[in-house]
Amino acid sequence: NSSKSINMIRCMHHIKCTMDNTREIRKLLEMTDLDSPLIIQQNFVIGLGKEGAGHYSILFDGNGKWKLSPDNKNIPIFTVEGNICVFPSPTREDLFCSVFQSMFPDYSDQTVNLTKIVNLAKCQRHGTSIVICNKAQDEAQRLAQNSRAITIEPISLVDNINSINKLTSIDGAIIISPDGICYAIGAILDGEAIISGDTARGARYNSLNNYVVWRTRIDPSYRTMAIVISEDQTTDILPNKDLERYFRSFSLS
């Protein structure tokens, strides 16, 4: 990071970033926050400065978990947890539009509104997930009857766009229809495990990926897609590949 930040606490003697100095550097890290990160220049710790003072920032978020971001921006360049490095893949609006319009051709005029809903949901700090279903009300009631969702009075997220952050703030998915009506929150997605999981991904992704296929397999009249927004800011759209084969496999008309 650049040393040209204002209101910077400067070290009289710069500390070299080596394994021999990890304890000293760790003590300095305990003084940091988003407004006063540790400033490192040419492999030396030179002090603490203001947010946005330099080029890149490393934010530690637990044991063995950290992310590299440009100028303390919310979206990281990559996140590391244990031995796994994840590069975020921001939502491609063209991909979302393509999948949405293929799944719900009768609601093509709602594509822009649903894109806004997804983009606002991405602001949820701890990640979230959205299930879009042509029979959203029926599915919400089915899950609620099995104590796997909280049903709410139907609310248009298109007309109440500012409510998205609140509705996605708890664990579980929100269940919405293709026209943006929300019927349930905090949904725990069920279904028989019928596809292989991905051990490199978390429970949220694997659960949604299996659910989308399972829901359609047991009743092809249900058209279901999901958006998985992970805590590390990666976003997945399900189904995300072989869409035509997906339709053929489950006899969707």
Side-chain angles (χ1 to χ4, degrees):
N1 282 356
S2 170
S3 63
K4 296 182 180 180
S5 58
I6 60 173
N7 298 326
M8 179 177 163
I9 301 172
R10 298 177 182 274
C11 297
M12 290 292 292
H13 301 285
H14 297 172
I15 304 167
K16 191 171 184 178
C17 295
T18 65
M19 293 300 295
D20 294 333
N21 295 327
T22 54
R23 290 183 178 273
E24 191 171 6
I25 294 172
R26 182 173 180 175
K27 285 184 176 292
L28 292 173
L29 282 170
E30 292 177 3
M31 301 168 56
T32 65
D33 55 30
L34 289 176
D35 292 322
S36 299
L38 202 64
I39 305 298
I40 298 174
Q41 187 177 56
Q42 297 179 348
N43 209 33
F44 284 88
V45 176
I46 64 173
L48 281 75
K50 283 283 190 179
E51 178 183 0
H55 299 95
Y56 300 97
S57 298
I58 296 175
L59 178 64
F60 294 92
D61 191 25
N63 186 22
K65 187 176 180 180
W66 55 277
K67 59 185 177 182
L68 177 69
S69 303
D71 289 325
N72 283 332
K73 302 300 183 186
N74 289 329
I75 300 178
I77 298 173
F78 62 80
T79 298
V80 174
E81 184 169 2
N83 295 322
I84 299 176
C85 180
V86 177
F87 290 84
S89 53
T91 302
R92 284 179 49 198
E93 292 191 4
D94 58 338
L95 175 60
F96 172 80
C97 293
S98 175
V99 175
F100 179 81
Q101 292 174 358
S102 296
M103 297 287 287
F104 311 107
D106 294 339
Y107 293 90
S108 294
D109 60 334
Q110 294 292 331
T111 303
V112 173
N113 290 330
L114 269 293
T115 301
K116 290 179 181 178
I117 290 172
V118 172
N119 284 333
L120 282 173
K122 285 174 59 181
C123 297
Q124 189 57 252
R125 180 180 177 185
H126 300 294
T128 188
S129 49
I130 301 171
V131 172
I132 306 174
C133 180
N134 64 326
K135 297 185 178 181
Q137 187 171 20
D138 292 342
E139 183 66 352
Q141 292 175 353
R142 182 188 72 82
L143 290 168
Q145 287 173 356
N146 292 282
S147 300
R148 301 183 72 88
I150 302 171
T151 51
I152 61 174
E153 290 188 9
I155 179 175
S156 170
L157 299 184
V158 176
D159 297 331
N160 298 274
I161 203 76
N162 293 328
S163 65
I164 294 173
N165 186 59
K166 290 183 179 180
L167 296 177
T168 59
S169 63
I170 61 174
D171 289 340
I174 62 172
I175 310 293
I176 69 175
S177 57
D179 55 355
I181 306 297
C182 182
Y183 293 92
I185 61 175
I188 303 170
L189 284 301
D190 57 5
E192 178 185 358
I194 59 175
I195 63 173
S196 298
D198 184 349
T199 55
R201 302 299 303 272
R204 180 183 287 131
Y205 172 85
N206 280 289
S207 175
L208 266 293
N209 196 25
N210 184 80
Y211 169 81
V212 166
V213 178
W214 172 83
R215 176 69 269 185
T216 307
R217 177 173 292 182
I218 64 171
D219 188 345
S221 68
Y222 277 71
R223 287 179 175 256
T224 306
M225 70 177 291
I227 297 88
V228 185
I229 302 167
S230 302
E231 186 176 352
D232 58 13
Q233 301 297 315
T234 59
T235 303
D236 293 278
I237 299 169
L238 305 171
N240 56 6
K241 58 184 177 180
D242 297 329
L243 192 59
E244 292 182 3
R245 184 167 60 186
Y246 174 88
F247 286 145
R248 290 198 301 269
S249 298
F250 303 119
S251 302
L252 294 178
S253 57

